[in-house]
């Protein structure tokens, strides 16, 4: 196609006065023709419909021969916007805006992709900086654009490389903090417009420092690379993985808000990261904790979301070994409580606020007790009982745990020395305490001072001691075995589940974690198979097995049948005081009779919380009395027939569709249509939440919604119509 500027622009000859200074006898169009012939300028032009009608020869040269085929195409399809990743190199206003409003175009960078093969399967990409002016004919009607262009491909690509480098982590090749922040900001603002959601996960490696310290920095670097590979292969194209620095990673997951799915993904990440690593022929094991926050529910802006995910991660770490945690509004309060706890705990031992209680481990075939586990109890001066699952992790943050642990060791040995000779005592030992150089000496001292026979003492340690470098662990094991003490592997299957060390470490006993036992009798559950496998494995390695946390008769039957040697759980007894234990023995009693519910019911938590029930056009206040994954009990309504469909408003946008299963005076049991999921700790949450965007549509300004703290306003539940049920006074009103 021959293109001649003067032909194409013929109509412009009679146009308004040209401002250019042109020598006599040479018309402006002749000058243009000459410029074109000399080949110095690059020009383009469109017609009124936005179709490309002209490219100067130099412009064609820049694109290659294929460029001629562009003539006649819409320029919005030719002049593409640069990729999102390269946006910070260019002006942000899209070209389309200028074209639609027929306004001028100044130095806009566009991306032109052209096929280089006839089949169109190979392409070349060039970047141009273009400027253009709308052209109006003498009658003033718009006649298209006239513009020039500069090929900036070289400098653009160079800039792109520099940008890439500043956006990616050199060591792992993952996105760096800068890129993650940028991505999150852009994503959230564009998602806000379209009402979409996005999840943010934050990971912190557990005990990475130990690897770094004991195996050296190059090994630490290698470990980080392997962690990055594992994360990439898990997340795939569902989101972007990045490294914030150190041993902190972040994952942005667009369009993910299902807490069931997110919890599963987090669980898989934890499991995958906890598999052993081979680094220059040496093995290392680490773990990870994961915090999760979801926009728009937990925060609309990236700062809010980052703050929320930090808190969630902090809570996950507090929760101990390899766990995940969703952000909830309560986390903020809990965080400040933890700090206070640490102060009080320091004095607790001196003030005599700590005691040990003893829970029996029973042979399920004879009901005879074989051992007791020492469990620490803390009652503060104000009389508040604080659970060890709360204060032990706090103590583990400092060396306080060593002091507490050694005290427990001494006290337990002294107490056990007063029991019959064939009854053992099991004492929990924290990883930090175990690693402490002084540990073996403390054990020896506890035995000597109490006169307890070494084979009566059993030390319960968790898989977390196998983290980092393993040499010193082996030495400690050997020293303890030489002393004649027994070793038990606690909470087996929860943390760094790797069977490798089982072969090497001289354990006498494996404790199957409660999470495999609880609910193992539910149909379709795979836990019975896991229990069988652990029992078989332990048998092959000449170790005993203990099933922990047995509460119901059917669970007892199952673990017995699957071959567990010992059973520990509420089914036989909770932890007893030393006085109770001694009294029992003085009466010559060695057995515990099992007693408990016939069948396991999914964990029911007792609560006393005001929530809402939505039925047809009415919003009722009800009191939540207990809640499990599958259902809840509520109080405060009368005349509610069984089979009624309703929605429970559990707060923070959590709506659960439910059916009334049984109904009594002022109280109903309901079952959920979609089961609740764990929040990573003991809490239960709905998989999805009603979006603040929906609330905004219903007239509530987004800015009025605090992060994660918004509640379902009654007016959105429906116009308050005539109630079908009788609302009774609830809570303090009832009193
Ligand atoms: P653990 O070592 O796994 O101890 C067993 C926990 O399960 C105890 O909780 C026990 O009361 C609970 N348990 C036993 N049977 C059942 C049951 O049938 N159902 C349910 N739901 N729970 C049952 P506890 O006493 O709250 O201790 C929690 C954790 O705190 C312990 O878990 C242990 O990791 C830690 N801990 C307790 N005492 C000490 C200590 O002296 N030193 C150290 N380092 N840790 C301790
Ligand atoms: Ca234990
Ligand atoms: Ca345990």
């Amino acid at each position: 196609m021959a293109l001649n500027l003067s032909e194409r622009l013929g109509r412009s000859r009679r146009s308004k006065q040209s401002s250019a200074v042109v020598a006599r006898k040479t018309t402006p169009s002749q000058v243009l023709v000459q410029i074109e012939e000399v080949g110095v300028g690059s020009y383009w032009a469109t017609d009124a419909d936005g179709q490309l009608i002209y490219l100067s020869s130099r412009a064609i040269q820049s694109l290659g021969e294929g460029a001629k085929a562009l003539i006649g195409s819409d320029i919005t399809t030719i002049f593409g916007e640069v990729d999102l990743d390269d946006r910070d190199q260019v002006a942000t206003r899209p070209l389309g805006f200028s074209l639609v409003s027929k306004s001028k175009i100044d130095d806009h960078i566009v991306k032109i992709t052209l096929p280089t093969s006839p089949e169109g399967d190979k392409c070349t990409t060039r970047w141009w900086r273009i400027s253009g002016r709308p052209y109006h004919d003498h009658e003033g009607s718009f006649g298209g654009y006239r513009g020039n262009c500069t090929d900036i491909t070289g400098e653009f690509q160079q800039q792109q490389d520099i940008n890439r480098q500043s956006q990616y982590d050199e060591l792992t090749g993952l996105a760096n903090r800068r890129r993650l922040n940028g991505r999150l900001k852009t994503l959230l603002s564009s998602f806000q417009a379209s009402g979409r959601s996005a999840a943010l996960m934050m990971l912190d490696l557990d005990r990475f420092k130990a690897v770094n310290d004991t195996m050296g920095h190059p090994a630490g670097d290698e470990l980080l690379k392997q962690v990055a590979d594992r994360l990439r292969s898990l997340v795939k194209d569902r989101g972007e993985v990045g490294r914030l620095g150190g041993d902190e990673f972040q994952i942005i997951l667009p369009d993910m808000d299902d807490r069931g799915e997110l919890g599963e993904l987090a669980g898989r990440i934890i499991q995958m990261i906890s598999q052993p690593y081979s680094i220059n022929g040496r093995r290392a094991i680490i773990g990870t904790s994961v915090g999760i926050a979801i926009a728009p529910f937990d925060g609309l802006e990236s700062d809010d979301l980052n703050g929320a995910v930090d808190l969630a991660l902090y809570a996950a770490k507090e929760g101990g070994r390899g766990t995940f945690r969703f952000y909830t509004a309560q986390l903020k309060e809990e965080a400040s409580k933890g700090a206070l706890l640490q102060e009080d705990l320091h004095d607790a031992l001196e003030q005599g606020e700590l005691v040990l209680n003893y829970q029996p481990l029973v042979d399920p075939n004879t009901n005879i007790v074989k051992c007791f586990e020492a469990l620490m109890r803390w009652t503060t001066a104000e009389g508040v009982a604080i659970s060890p699952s709360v204060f032990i992790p706090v103590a583990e943050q400092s060396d306080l745990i060593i002091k507490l642990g050694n005290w427990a060791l001494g006290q337990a040995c002294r107490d056990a020395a007063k029991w019959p000779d064939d009854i053992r005592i099991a004492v929990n030992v924290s990883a930090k305490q175990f690693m402490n150089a002084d540990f073996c000496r403390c054990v020896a001292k506890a035995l000597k001072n109490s006169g307890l026979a070494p084979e009566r003492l059993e030390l319960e340690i968790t898989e977390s001691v196998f983290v980092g470098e393993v040499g010193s662990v082996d030495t400690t094991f050997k020293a303890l075995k030489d002393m004649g003490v027994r070793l038990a592997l606690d909470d087996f299957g929860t943390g760094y589940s790797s069977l490798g060390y089982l072969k090497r470490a001289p354990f006498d006993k494996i404790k199957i974690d409660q999470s495999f036992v609880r609910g193992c009798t539910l149909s379709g559950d795979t836990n019975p198979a896991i229990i069988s496998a652990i029992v078989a494995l332990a048998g092959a390695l000449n170790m005993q097995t203990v099933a922990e946390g047995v509460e119901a008769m059917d669970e007892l039957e199952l673990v017995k049948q699957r071959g567990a040697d010992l059973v520990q759980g509420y089914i036989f007894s909770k932890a007893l005081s030393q006085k109770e234990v001694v009294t029992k023995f003085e009466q010559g009693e060695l057995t515990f009779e099992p007693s408990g519910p016939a069948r396991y019911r999914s964990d029911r938590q007792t609560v006393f919380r005001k929530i809402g029930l939505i039925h047809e056009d009415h919003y009722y206040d009800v009191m939540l009395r207990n809640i499990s994954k599958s259902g809840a009990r509520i109080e405060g309504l009368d005349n509610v027939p069984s089979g009624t469909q309703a929605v429970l408003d559990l707060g923070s946008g959590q709506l659960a569709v439910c059916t009334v299963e049984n109904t009594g005076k002022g109280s109903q049991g309901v079952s959920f249509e979609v089961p609740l999921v764990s929040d990573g700790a003991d809490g239960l949450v709905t998989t999805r939440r009603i979006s603040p965007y929906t609330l905004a549509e219903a007239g509530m300004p987004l800015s009025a919604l605090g992060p994660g703290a918004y509640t379902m306003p009654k007016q959105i539940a429906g116009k308050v119509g005539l109630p079908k049920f009788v609302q009774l006074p609830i809570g303090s009103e009832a009193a």
Side-chain angles (χ1 to χ4, degrees):
M1 191 184 303
L3 300 164
N4 184 301
L5 185 63
S6 56
E7 273 169 33
R8 293 279 167 194
L9 305 185
R11 279 182 297 167
S12 72
R13 211 182 295 172
R14 278 167 278 111
S15 74
K16 297 171 226 160
Q17 264 196 328
S18 165
S19 58
V21 182
V22 177
R24 240 177 310 145
K25 286 193 187 151
T26 311
T27 63
S29 68
Q30 280 171 321
V31 173
L32 284 174
V33 173
Q34 286 154 9
I35 291 174
E36 187 177 25
E37 279 165 359
V38 191
V40 287
S42 292
Y43 303 101
W44 56 277
T46 71
D47 64 11
D49 299 329
Q51 287 180 351
L52 188 71
I53 52 169
Y54 172 74
L55 278 179
S56 72
S57 54
R58 186 145 167 200
I60 292 173
Q61 229 171 40
S62 128
L63 297 178
E65 276 309 291
K68 289 184 179 165
L70 298 177
I71 300 300
S73 305
D74 195 320
I75 60 158
T76 52
T77 64
I78 302 171
F79 293 160
E81 295 293 336
V82 299
D83 300 338
L84 209 60
D85 285 357
D86 303 321
R87 282 286 157 84
D88 32 341
Q89 293 187 52
V90 302
T92 43
R93 191 176 145 98
L95 186 62
F97 282 156
S98 309
L99 296 175
V100 168
S101 61
K102 301 189 174 70
S103 51
K104 61 183 186 175
I105 301 164
D106 277 320
D107 292 334
H108 199 98
I109 296 177
V110 296
K111 177 182 171 182
I112 305 166
T113 308
L114 278 175
T116 50
S117 65
E119 297 77 33
D121 54 348
K122 288 197 192 91
C123 288
T124 174
T125 302
R126 310 294 296 177
W127 283 268
W128 279 6
R129 178 181 290 119
I130 63 167
S131 291
R133 294 289 179 271
Y135 158 71
H136 295 92
D137 64 18
H138 59 287
E139 277 146 15
S141 51
F142 175 70
Y145 271 94
R146 306 290 177 260
N148 66 346
C149 49
T150 317
D151 188 319
I152 55 155
T153 305
E155 55 182 288
F156 190 86
Q157 283 175 334
Q158 208 177 0
Q159 189 59 45
Q160 233 178 359
D161 285 347
I162 295 171
N163 268 17
R164 288 265 140 85
Q165 278 163 20
S166 71
Q167 297 253 331
Y168 290 90
D169 171 40
E170 221 176 308
L171 179 68
T172 60
L174 296 176
N176 63 14
R177 180 186 294 271
R178 189 184 142 147
R179 181 181 163 83
L180 284 168
N181 285 348
R183 290 276 296 161
L184 191 64
K185 276 209 175 78
T186 347
L187 197 79
L188 291 184
S189 62
S190 75
F191 276 24
Q192 225 179 82
S194 48
R196 287 160 69 186
S197 59
L200 186 64
M201 274 190 192
M202 176 115 150
L203 282 74
D204 185 299
L205 303 183
D206 295 333
R207 299 174 189 88
F208 169 72
K209 198 175 163 294
V211 174
N212 235 353
D213 290 350
T214 56
M215 296 172 75
H217 281 269
D221 282 356
E222 175 57 29
L223 183 68
L224 289 174
K225 275 195 228 170
Q226 293 188 24
V227 167
D229 289 342
R230 291 184 190 186
L231 287 177
R232 251 192 300 251
S233 72
L234 257 175
V235 175
K236 299 206 183 74
D237 50 8
R238 272 182 290 188
E240 175 146 21
V241 184
R243 177 176 168 230
L244 293 175
D247 61 349
E248 280 188 344
F249 295 82
Q250 214 175 53
I251 307 171
I252 302 174
L253 299 153
D255 296 310
M256 285 270 273
D257 62 1
D258 185 309
R259 287 188 278 191
E261 271 174 44
L262 282 164
E264 253 167 55
L265 178 62
R268 275 212 305 282
I269 288 175
I270 292 167
Q271 208 188 7
M272 191 100 150
I273 297 297
S274 313
Q275 298 303 312
Y277 297 78
S278 164
I279 294 165
N280 307 327
R282 287 163 84 190
R283 269 162 52 92
I285 299 175
I286 55 161
T288 187
S289 310
V290 182
I292 311 167
I294 309 165
F297 313 95
D298 304 326
L300 294 170
E301 309 290 339
S302 71
D303 284 351
D304 299 338
L305 205 62
N306 268 308
V309 86
D310 269 346
L311 269 180
L313 175 62
Y314 184 78
K317 286 204 283 193
E318 290 260 284
R321 51 177 199 221
T323 51
F324 68 85
R325 199 64 190 270
F326 287 108
Y327 173 81
T328 60
Q330 292 98 293
L331 283 184
K332 227 179 206 144
E333 295 166 34
E334 281 176 25
S336 53
K337 266 192 219 149
L340 285 179
L341 214 59
Q342 176 126 32
E343 282 172 31
D344 291 350
L345 191 55
H346 262 278
D347 306 324
L349 194 54
E350 276 78 31
Q351 312 281 338
E353 291 171 7
L354 293 175
V355 293
L356 290 180
N357 278 4
Y358 300 99
Q359 188 180 28
L361 281 71
V362 178
D363 178 339
N365 298 306
T366 60
N367 293 346
I368 294 177
V369 58
K370 298 286 174 186
C371 177
F372 284 90
E373 175 177 2
L375 294 165
M376 219 180 270
R377 297 288 175 258
W378 178 19
T379 311
T380 64
E382 295 81 35
V384 183
I386 298 174
S387 164
S389 48
V390 172
F391 72 80
I392 293 287
V394 173
E396 276 171 339
Q397 284 167 14
S398 71
D399 282 348
L400 186 58
I401 188 64
I402 298 176
K403 203 170 122 193
L404 294 188
N406 289 340
W407 167 78
L409 198 56
Q411 184 65 44
C413 288
R414 275 195 301 279
D415 284 348
K418 299 184 180 121
W419 306 342
D421 284 345
D422 53 351
I423 305 288
R424 295 198 170 97
I425 173 73
V427 183
N428 289 290
V429 178
S430 280
K432 200 166 193 167
Q433 184 190 358
F434 185 85
M435 310 289 203
N436 186 18
D438 229 21
F439 179 63
C440 289
R441 221 170 320 140
C442 287
V443 175
K445 198 170 124 200
L447 289 171
K448 186 161 168 278
N449 287 352
S450 63
L452 192 79
E455 64 276 10
R456 286 182 64 195
L457 174 62
E458 208 160 71
L459 301 175
E460 292 196 3
I461 56 175
T462 62
E463 295 162 81
S464 58
V465 302
F466 297 100
V467 156
E469 229 258 340
V470 286
S472 60
V473 176
D474 287 345
T475 320
T476 310
F477 276 146
K478 188 166 180 308
L480 291 170
K481 287 306 327 176
D482 288 349
M483 245 184 258
V485 173
R486 285 165 54 100
L487 296 173
L489 182 56
D490 204 356
D491 305 335
F492 183 71
T494 53
Y496 306 92
S497 306
S498 145
L499 300 176
Y501 52 72
L502 265 188
K503 271 195 293 192
R504 216 186 48 231
F507 287 110
D508 301 283
K509 195 185 255 181
I510 299 178
K511 299 189 79 175
I512 306 169
D513 190 68
Q514 319 202 352
S515 56
F516 297 108
V517 175
R518 198 75 40 75
C520 65
T521 48
L522 294 182
S523 66
D525 199 285
T526 53
N527 285 340
I530 297 177
I531 295 173
S532 290
I534 300 178
V535 169
L537 175 78
L541 295 168
N542 233 339
M543 300 172 186
Q544 270 195 322
T545 45
V546 183
E548 285 193 89
V550 176
E551 289 182 357
M553 288 306 223
D554 61 345
E555 289 168 346
L556 176 62
E557 208 40 54
L558 189 139
V559 298
K560 196 162 127 183
Q561 180 217 330
R562 299 277 165 157
D565 298 304
L566 295 173
V567 168
Q568 177 181 3
Y570 296 166
I571 191 80
F572 284 114
S573 173
K574 294 196 172 185
L576 307 168
S577 68
Q578 163 73 356
K579 195 164 160 245
E580 286 169 307
V581 174
V582 170
T583 308
K584 195 170 167 82
F585 285 140
E586 279 169 1
Q587 289 165 353
E589 268 184 56
L590 286 174
T591 58
F592 282 84
E593 289 308 316
S595 88
R599 247 168 302 130
Y600 163 81
R601 300 201 312 170
S602 72
D603 266 2
R604 219 150 259 256
Q605 301 171 10
T606 312
V607 281
F608 196 68
R609 183 156 69 88
K610 206 166 149 180
I611 60 164
L613 180 137
I614 305 156
H615 179 255
E616 292 182 351
D617 264 359
H618 207 78
Y619 192 104
Y620 303 87
D621 292 322
V622 295
M623 191 59 83
L624 182 66
R625 290 314 310 271
N626 70 41
I627 189 162
S628 72
K629 285 188 179 171
S630 54
R633 174 151 296 274
I634 52 167
E635 286 175 2
L637 294 182
D638 236 348
N639 284 350
V640 188
S642 283
T644 301
Q645 285 255 344
V647 174
L648 281 194
D649 173 8
L650 298 168
S652 299
Q654 304 187 91
L655 298 184
V657 178
C658 63
T659 309
V660 175
E661 296 295 344
N662 53 66
T663 185
K665 187 120 189 72
S667 162
Q668 289 79 32
V670 303
S671 66
F672 296 132
E673 187 176 271
V674 179
L676 303 186
V677 295
S678 163
D679 70 348
D682 298 330
L684 294 171
V685 293
T686 57
T687 61
R688 293 176 179 285
R689 283 171 283 178
I690 182 168
S691 161
Y693 298 140
T694 314
L695 300 187
E697 268 168 33
M700 195 172 183
L702 273 183
S703 55
L705 302 168
Y710 57 89
T711 47
M712 252 306 280
K714 293 183 187 183
Q715 62 270 28
I716 289 166
K719 309 157 292 301
V720 178
L722 272 186
K724 282 255 166 63
F725 312 137
V726 179
Q727 172 91 61
L728 306 170
I730 59 166
S732 51
E733 305 161 26

